[in-house]
């Protein structure tokens, strides 16, 4: 079942195309693969990047939109990604980057494309856990820039995932978020020992 990729804001796409057309922007990007790419580089598969700032004890995530990410394809593979962010003047190009999440995102999207149920792909980041997931939202007609994970949505951890969490294994939101709640909640501090009695006071 094909994925229903949400449309990115037109200004965000234009900002990426402008950056790709700028030799200075590409040359200064810390992406060797992009600088060494032969042939035209094309932004594809725009994904809204949502961030989880807090996971409540009930396992409900409060999310916010942090930007839109485009995979930059050259030839038959993605060589980098472009990040855009919302500024007071509208959507603007932020930076190019590469790394393991690029290939992992492509792999997770191909994996999700084989599922029987259609989904709208998004990215969901858990900064406190150093974890990025492909968020497969069940409402394909929804605005990709808003909303929060539904219990029946799927989360696919991208590689590298935190220890103890398998990369590319889909989880229902209702099953994974409660597990992450315990990881995100700091362990309580042990009680302090009693203070010794003051000199001259009764023990």
């Amino acid at each position: 079942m094909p994925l229903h990729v949400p449309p990115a804001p037109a200004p965000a796409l234009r900002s990426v195309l402008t950056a790709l057309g700028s030799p200075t922007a590409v040359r200064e990007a810390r992406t060797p693969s992009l600088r060494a790419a032969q042939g035209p580089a094309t932004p594809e598969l725009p994904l809204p990047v949502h961030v989880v700032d807090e996971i409540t004890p009930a396992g409900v995530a409060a999310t916010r939109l942090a930007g839109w990410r485009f995979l930059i394809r050259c030839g038959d593979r993605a060589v980098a990604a472009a990040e855009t962010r919302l500024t007071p003047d509208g959507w603007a190009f932020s930076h190019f980057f590469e790394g393991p999440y690029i290939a992992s995102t492509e792999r997770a999207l191909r994996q999700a494309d084989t599922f029987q149920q259609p989904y709208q792909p998004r990215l969901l980041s858990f900064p406190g856990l150093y974890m990025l997931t492909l968020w497969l939202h069940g409402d394909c007609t929804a605005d990709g820039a808003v909303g929060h994970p539904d219990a029946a949505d799927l989360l696919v951890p991208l590689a590298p995932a935190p220890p103890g969490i398998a990369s590319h294994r889909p989880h229902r939101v209702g099953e994974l978020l409660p597990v992450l709640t315990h990881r995100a909640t700091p362990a309580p501090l042990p009680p302090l020992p009693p203070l010794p009695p003051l000199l001259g006071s009764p023990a």
Side-chain angles (χ1 to χ4, degrees):
M1 187 70 67
L3 294 174
H4 295 257
V5 179
L13 176 58
R14 284 197 301 267
S15 72
V16 173
L17 291 171
T18 299
L20 283 172
S22 167
T24 301
V26 172
R27 184 171 60 250
E28 294 180 354
R30 296 181 179 179
T31 54
S33 296
L34 182 59
R35 293 199 303 269
Q38 300 295 321
T42 307
E44 295 183 353
L45 294 172
L47 297 174
V49 182
H50 295 260
V51 175
V52 176
D53 291 318
E54 179 185 4
I55 306 176
T56 68
V60 178
T63 65
R64 60 180 173 84
L65 180 68
W68 283 80
R69 179 174 299 179
F70 297 77
L71 293 182
I72 306 300
R73 183 171 298 279
C74 187
D76 60 351
R77 68 186 184 95
V79 297
E83 197 90 358
T84 62
R85 57 187 175 85
L86 188 60
T87 71
D89 296 323
W91 286 98
F93 171 75
S94 176
H95 59 280
F96 294 115
F97 68 95
E98 62 178 278
Y101 282 141
I102 308 299
S104 185
T105 299
E106 277 200 304
R107 175 183 169 183
L109 288 168
R110 288 195 301 268
Q111 179 183 2
D113 210 26
T114 66
F115 296 163
Q116 293 298 316
Q117 179 178 340
Y119 287 103
Q120 181 190 83
R122 308 174 176 191
L123 292 173
L124 188 61
S125 172
F126 298 82
L129 300 173
Y130 300 99
M131 179 177 176
L132 182 65
T133 66
L134 178 66
W135 169 15
L136 299 173
H137 190 46
D139 184 359
C140 297
T141 63
D143 183 349
V146 297
H148 58 83
D150 295 330
D153 288 352
L154 294 181
L155 295 178
V156 183
L158 302 183
I165 296 179
S167 302
H168 297 284
R169 178 182 175 185
H171 300 267
R172 295 285 180 192
V173 166
E175 299 169 353
L176 183 60
L177 283 188
V179 174
L180 298 181
T181 302
H182 298 294
R183 291 186 173 228
T185 304
L189 296 175
L192 295 174
L195 296 173
L198 298 175
L199 293 177
S201 64

